[in-house]
Amino acid sequence: MPIMSINASTSDMRDVSGSRQDKARQAGNALYGSIHNQAVEPRMENESYTYVYGPERISTHRYSPCSTVSSVRRTFCLIALFDLCFCFILWVIYTQLTGSETVWEAFEQQVANYQFQTSLFDTVMVAALRFILIELGYALFRLNHWWLIAISTSLTCIFLITKVFLFEFSHDGKAENPLSYILLLTSFILTWIETWFLDFKVLPTEKKILLRGTHGEANERSGLLGRAEEGGNRVVHDDDKDRYYSPAGSDDEGEDRYRSLPPSRSHSRKDHEYLKIANETMDMLFELVREGGWITERESQGDMVQSAYIKKLKRKIFKLECTLDISPHELWKDTIDNVNDSPSWNPTLLESKTLLVVDEKTDISYNIAAEAAGGLVSARDFINLRHWGERDQTFFIAVNKATFPDMPPQKKYVRGESGPCGLVFNRVTGQPNRCKLQWFLNTNLKGWIPQAVIDQGLTGVLMDYCKYLRQHIQEIKGRSFS
């Protein structure tokens, strides 16, 4: 089965292997970022089934006052302290270069005999005011809005601009002191660094953490875990998060346990949810078939990989088109029935396993994709919801996201993610034994990888699949004749 898969829900996610993550990061090509399977901590008594997740538990008015301040907010407060200390030290050095005979005479001239046009002591006072506002607002009261830093920055800029126009950089016949320029510029730069750090680091980071917390009961599994923790009346820390992954044992033992999972027949209440997703995915797949504006990424001997940005999905989609010497129905049936055998002929897959049979046209499968892009992209695993059938005289296999609690992310692989996509097997007019295959690949590549590397990696996977599929078709024909 081709690699078209999705991530588990947020509550099913967990940390991947550190060594694998380090390897991907060193290469600069981690295709899919992983979401931490966060530890759970109960909230207030009157909010018994909503949880705050992860190592960055934030104390706000909506959460327990016993929670710790996030590390990014602590860093922001330290920057404010550094701003005050640095401006004060620069001002002290500046006073020593003003030509005064003693330190105390310089201090008296700058502080006791303060004049706006000749003293820079007010820059230290402004830095102190910024520090007090930031520490009171964002450390003591833990505000989650930018209005306070906006007021602080506006007042500082107005003061500094006025100071630049009115300050006498040389007076009483004394030479200009270069530190006066440095002190004013430093105060201006540090002010904007604080504003940028709060608006682009502190608030967005904490918002993500809060969203993970408020979505803690979004599925059945997270709710059960939350109730279990409350019943035990204890707090779960990050060190305990592996408890929900697998029983103790070796890596090989864990992998064998997963490989031994037989496909089961679904009788749960989630059946209607799976079927609803399947029908929506089928409709989206045929919308992709009718989509125009495809741009060719690579073409070789009639095989073509194209891409287009789909506004409805808000994502770049890849499409493989190739013509194969086999009937559409025969290839469609082989792809459905022999999905578990696909790693034997498709080296881009390390493993394929059917986990759950929803009905006669829908199942959930598990795939492990091999390394790609010359080893820059490490192996990934996927969980697929597949739905197949015939529509408008065209055979199709639609694929979309699904969750399967019995198959959590493994330590050796990053759990991949993709959206509505699939394969379409078209008839070739006048040639019943030929098939025009279209594979729509819709993958959300999380991480810090350049788009050019993403395009190259996915294009290579599609072209390789086409090559290996042709070899597999020859094997199918050989079995037919024998």
Side-chain angles (χ1 to χ4, degrees):
M1 176 63 196
I3 310 166
M4 297 173 294
S5 311
I6 60 96
N7 237 334
S9 65
T10 304
S11 61
D12 288 335
M13 301 301 290
R14 68 178 302 276
D15 284 324
V16 298
S17 168
S19 60
R20 176 63 67 183
Q21 206 170 44
D22 291 340
K23 178 180 176 182
R25 216 179 258 123
Q26 289 171 2
N29 294 283
L31 269 185
Y32 316 102
S34 61
I35 304 173
H36 298 296
N37 178 28
Q38 307 293 346
V40 183
E41 184 173 27
R43 288 177 60 184
M44 304 296 289
E45 292 181 359
N46 61 344
E47 302 174 75
S48 54
Y49 296 130
T50 307
Y51 304 91
V52 184
Y53 286 77
E56 300 291 359
R57 287 178 287 276
I58 302 172
S59 178
T60 67
H61 296 298
R62 287 176 285 175
Y63 294 92
S64 168
C66 298
S67 302
T68 59
V69 179
S70 66
S71 60
V72 67
R73 186 177 288 254
R74 290 195 300 269
T75 302
F76 172 67
C77 294
L78 287 175
I79 292 176
L81 178 60
F82 170 80
D83 177 13
L84 174 60
C85 295
F86 192 68
C87 288
F88 178 75
I89 291 174
L90 275 181
W91 174 76
V92 171
I93 298 175
Y94 162 79
T95 60
Q96 308 310 304
L97 301 179
T98 57
S100 302
E101 295 181 359
T102 63
V103 175
W104 298 113
E105 182 181 343
F107 282 5
E108 181 179 0
Q109 180 181 355
Q110 289 279 312
V111 181
N113 301 323
Y114 167 80
Q115 292 183 4
F116 186 81
Q117 293 82 1
T118 59
S119 176
L120 288 179
F121 181 69
D122 45 13
T123 59
V124 179
M125 292 296 97
V126 172
L129 178 61
R130 287 198 303 272
F131 173 76
I132 293 173
L133 290 176
I134 289 173
E135 298 300 321
L136 287 177
Y138 296 106
L140 182 60
F141 297 106
R142 299 175 187 178
L143 299 176
N144 287 314
H145 202 276
W146 48 262
W147 66 266
L148 185 60
I149 196 70
I151 293 174
S152 171
T153 303
S154 300
L155 293 177
T156 300
C157 290
I158 293 173
F159 163 77
L160 291 175
I161 293 173
T162 306
K163 190 76 173 180
V164 167
F165 280 101
L166 300 181
F167 183 72
E168 298 177 2
F169 290 93
S170 60
H171 60 279
D172 297 335
K174 298 178 181 178
E176 293 183 359
N177 189 338
L179 279 181
S180 59
Y181 301 100
I182 297 176
L183 184 55
L184 291 171
L185 288 174
T186 299
S187 181
F188 181 81
I189 292 172
L190 289 176
T191 299
W192 282 99
I193 288 177
E194 291 166 357
T195 304
W196 174 86
F197 195 84
L198 177 76
D199 202 27
F200 288 90
K201 292 293 183 181
V202 178
L203 298 182
T205 301
E206 292 186 345
K207 182 179 179 181
K208 291 178 182 178
I209 299 169
L210 292 175
L211 287 175
R212 288 205 296 267
T214 56
H215 292 165
E217 57 176 353
N219 58 69
E220 297 174 4
R221 185 170 181 239
S222 59
L224 290 173
L225 293 177
R227 289 170 174 83
E229 293 304 327
E230 288 191 323
N233 195 26
R234 62 190 181 94
V235 177
V236 180
H237 300 285
D238 291 335
D239 296 339
D240 300 324
K241 60 189 174 185
D242 286 343
R243 292 183 300 111
Y244 303 118
Y245 173 58
S246 64
S250 65
D251 291 340
D252 293 338
E253 184 179 335
E255 290 183 26
D256 291 339
R257 181 168 66 88
Y258 292 132
R259 291 193 179 100
S260 64
L261 284 175
S264 58
R265 185 77 184 187
S266 174
H267 297 286
S268 71
R269 60 180 181 178
K270 291 182 68 67
D271 281 8
H272 70 283
E273 297 178 11
Y274 288 139
L275 296 177
K276 180 181 178 182
I277 295 174
N279 290 327
E280 292 174 352
T281 305
M282 176 181 62
D283 294 337
M284 188 65 224
L285 175 61
F286 280 89
E287 286 188 33
L288 293 176
V289 172
R290 296 187 293 269
E291 184 70 30
W294 296 92
I295 300 174
T296 301
E297 298 280 346
R298 187 187 301 180
E299 186 175 4
S300 176
Q301 299 179 351
D303 303 335
M304 183 184 304
V305 175
Q306 297 177 309
S307 67
Y309 182 83
I310 308 301
K311 293 182 179 180
K312 185 173 182 178
L313 298 175
K314 299 180 181 180
R315 191 178 302 170
K316 185 176 183 179
I317 306 299
F318 288 82
K319 177 177 71 170
L320 168 68
E321 283 192 358
C322 59
T323 303
L324 305 167
D325 295 327
I326 188 173
S327 68
H329 183 267
E330 188 176 2
L331 180 59
W332 174 70
K333 286 291 293 180
D334 181 80
T335 305
I336 296 170
D337 298 338
N338 301 319
V339 61
N340 295 340
D341 298 329
S342 53
S344 63
W345 59 266
N346 184 4
T348 63
L349 281 179
L350 299 179
E351 182 178 343
S352 184
K353 175 76 174 178
T354 300
L355 300 177
L356 181 71
V357 177
V358 179
D359 62 14
E360 66 277 2
K361 293 184 178 181
T362 311
D363 67 11
I364 296 177
S365 63
Y366 174 74
N367 293 333
I368 300 178
E371 294 182 346
L376 293 177
V377 180
S378 58
R380 262 65 177 169
D381 67 346
F382 308 88
I383 294 181
N384 305 333
L385 171 66
R386 302 192 312 158
H387 178 69
W388 55 86
E390 184 178 5
R391 178 173 173 177
D392 301 333
Q393 298 184 342
T394 300
F395 299 105
F396 70 90
I397 301 176
V399 180
N400 203 343
K401 55 189 174 182
T403 60
F404 197 75
D406 291 335
M407 183 63 76
Q410 300 186 44
K411 294 180 180 179
K412 295 179 63 177
Y413 306 109
V414 178
R415 180 58 54 87
E417 178 181 359
S418 64
C421 54
L423 297 98
V424 177
F425 306 80
N426 296 288
R427 296 177 173 86
V428 178
T429 304
Q431 302 182 62
N433 292 324
R434 301 200 75 191
C435 168
K436 181 181 179 182
L437 174 65
Q438 292 179 308
W439 176 12
F440 297 88
L441 180 59
N442 174 9
T443 306
N444 181 12
L445 304 182
K446 301 178 181 179
W448 301 277
I449 182 170
Q451 185 63 40
V453 178
I454 294 174
D455 296 347
Q456 179 183 1
L458 294 181
T459 301
V461 168
L462 291 169
M463 295 299 288
D464 289 343
Y465 170 75
C466 194
K467 177 181 65 176
Y468 298 133
L469 180 59
R470 280 197 168 89
Q471 298 173 1
H472 178 58
I473 290 173
Q474 296 301 319
E475 297 176 0
I476 297 175
K477 290 182 175 181
R479 292 197 300 265
S480 319
F481 290 132
S482 60

